[in-house]
Amino acid sequence: MSNFGFGELRLVNPYDVAFREARSAVKAHKVLADAREYATVGEAIADCALVVGTTSKGHRVLDHPLHRLEMGGRLIAKKLGSNPVALLFGSEKFGLSNDDMSYCHWLMRIPSREEHASMNLGQAVALCLYEIVRSPAASRAKPEARQPAKAEELDRLTVLLEEVLEHSGYVHARVAGSTRMKTRRLIRRMDLTAHDAEVWLGMLRQILWKLVS
């Protein structure tokens, strides 16, 4: 992270023993010293306007748009000029869960041969961050006129929509978990602006008020 100019490390439920005993590379101790811990992915990415998950894909069936590293790096670099972006990595052994991925707008993969798709986490992070900064356009990116909705706003919208769906009878207890993840992914695919998110929140509040009154 320090090699490529990234200093904000956020950890979700890290293995405390390994994390506390970790020693960073020369001149990079500040990254670990300033790292912030969170209980959930939702809390860790709450202020981000774009959340990108990483996956080796393998035989998993994905419900997200999937970009190769080259394209994903350019898209992230463009967004970094105007808004906070989260690049989400899972553990080396299991990667990101389906629930983790439901917080993502889209996914990115490092092209590798099928016989050996898994990669050391540190190497994967280094490749992704290098791809993001290697484009000169990253430093010249201009702020966008439209401000995208932050992850926190999208979560508020998700929770309210779930409540509306429950009161309407759409959600069944047997599939409540999968419905929640589908709803979360659906909202992120809408690519809402901050203003649009507020409009949707207002409409859903009115619908909910009608349903419960």
Side-chain angles (χ1 to χ4, degrees), residues 63-131:
D63 294 305
H64 290 75
L66 178 65
H67 296 297
R68 276 175 55 120
L69 177 60
E70 301 92 333
M71 174 60 73
R74 289 198 294 271
L75 294 174
I76 292 172
K78 181 179 178 181
K79 183 67 71 174
L80 274 174
S82 56
N83 290 281
V85 177
L87 186 55
L88 197 59
F89 293 89
S91 68
E92 283 190 15
K93 190 172 183 179
F94 301 109
L96 296 174
S97 68
N98 288 333
D99 190 65
D100 295 333
M101 289 184 183
S102 70
Y103 286 94
C104 300
H105 292 82
W106 44 269
L107 304 175
M108 182 169 70
R109 72 177 183 91
I110 298 171
S112 57
R113 65 190 186 103
E114 291 185 8
E115 295 83 357
H116 198 167
S118 179
M119 183 177 289
N120 171 272
L121 180 59
Q123 293 174 343
V125 172
L127 277 175
C128 290
L129 298 186
Y130 169 73
E131 188 65 32

Side-chain angles (χ1 to χ4, degrees), residues 41-42 45 64 97-105 151 154-159 161-162 165 176-190:
V41 171
I45 53 89
H64 290 75
S97 68
N98 288 333
D99 190 65
D100 295 333
M101 289 184 183
S102 70
Y103 286 94
C104 300
H105 292 82
L154 296 179
D155 267 346
R156 285 166 50 207
L157 186 55
T158 302
V159 170
L161 180 55
E162 288 174 6
L165 294 175
S178 61
T179 300
R180 183 175 299 108
M181 288 191 292
K182 289 176 182 177
T183 303
R184 205 182 282 147
R185 291 193 296 262
L186 174 65
I187 288 175
R188 278 153 179 78
R189 287 199 299 269
M190 293 169 69

